[in-house]
């Protein structure tokens, strides 16, 4: 996408923190939809992931149609790079291209916060809402239902 006009446009849009949607996962993790694809014309999606102590996280998986990046803001986040689990500390960044196996977890005794960036801006908020709803209702999914949920959201077990 190239901007071709000879002058700049007044097109910036502020999205106040208080207006950003949040989803609470079963572990108590809070996902804040900082800039979902709907707010960025599909260019990227940015989410804050605030995990309480020992919250666990996402098992090894991959996506076919978007990249995913992780930036550790605070605490220690266990990051899987497709080969090894490593401790990510504040300022550390992990980039995962399409098809790259990855995972994350907070196994520490303290809260950890990271930013997750999806490019292009896949509608991950729909997936996160579904996970939050499952946790809130206590619903148990069969293996087949999990496989279907993951496939609808371009998430595949490694």
């Amino acid at each position: 996408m190239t901007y071709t006009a000879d002058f700049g446009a007044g097109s910036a849009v502020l999205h106040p923190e208080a207006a950003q949607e949040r989803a609470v996962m079963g572990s108590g993790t809070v996902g804040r939809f900082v800039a979902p694809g709907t707010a960025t014309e599909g260019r990227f999606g940015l989410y804050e992931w605030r995990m309480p102590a020992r919250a666990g996280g996402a098992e090894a998986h991959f996506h076919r149609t978007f990249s995913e990046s992780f930036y550790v803001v605070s605490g220690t986040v266990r990051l899987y790079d497709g080969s090894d689990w490593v401790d990510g500390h504040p300022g550390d960044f992990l980039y995962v291209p399409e098809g790259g196996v990855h995972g994350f977890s907070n196994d520490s005794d303290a809260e950890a916060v990271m930013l997750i960036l999806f490019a292009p801006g896949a509608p991950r908020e729909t997936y996160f809402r579904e996970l939050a709803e499952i946790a809130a209702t206590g619903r148990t999914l069969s293996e087949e239902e999990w496989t279907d949920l993951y496939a609808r959201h371009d998430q595949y077990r490694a």
Side-chain angles (χ1 to χ4, degrees):
M1 300 185 151
T2 302
Y3 186 74
T4 58
D6 292 333
F7 52 88
S11 56
V13 179
L14 176 66
H15 298 271
E17 185 272 339
Q20 295 165 9
E21 183 179 350
R22 289 164 174 72
V24 180
M25 306 300 145
S27 62
T29 293
V30 176
R32 181 166 58 98
F33 306 172
V34 176
T38 54
T40 66
E41 300 175 345
R43 289 179 172 93
F44 66 89
L46 180 65
Y47 301 81
E48 178 188 71
W49 216 245
R50 187 172 293 274
M51 301 174 286
R54 303 262 169 219
E59 298 175 355
H61 64 280
F62 67 95
H63 311 287
R64 291 189 166 114
T65 62
F66 56 87
S67 67
E68 188 169 2
S69 298
F70 303 90
Y71 178 80
V72 180
V73 175
S74 65
T76 301
V77 178
R78 295 284 293 164
L79 297 168
Y80 186 63
D81 65 5
S83 298
D84 298 301
W85 285 94
V86 296
D87 286 339
H89 302 284
D92 288 348
F93 173 77
L94 175 69
Y95 169 69
V96 184
E98 295 87 339
V101 175
H102 61 285
F104 64 86
S105 183
N106 180 7
D107 299 332
S108 76
D109 292 325
E111 178 183 72
V113 179
M114 66 180 174
L115 296 176
I116 305 174
L117 178 77
F118 299 99
R124 295 303 280 172
E125 59 273 19
T126 305
Y127 173 64
F128 297 146
R129 284 183 196 121
E130 284 193 55
L131 292 180
E133 184 270 331
I134 291 165
T137 62
R139 187 167 52 117
T140 303
L141 274 60
S142 68
E143 191 65 29
E144 184 177 290
E145 290 171 316
W146 278 115
T147 300
D148 177 64
L149 172 79
Y150 292 151
R152 285 187 284 112
H153 296 288
D154 188 11
Q155 182 143 329
Y156 303 91
R157 292 184 176 134

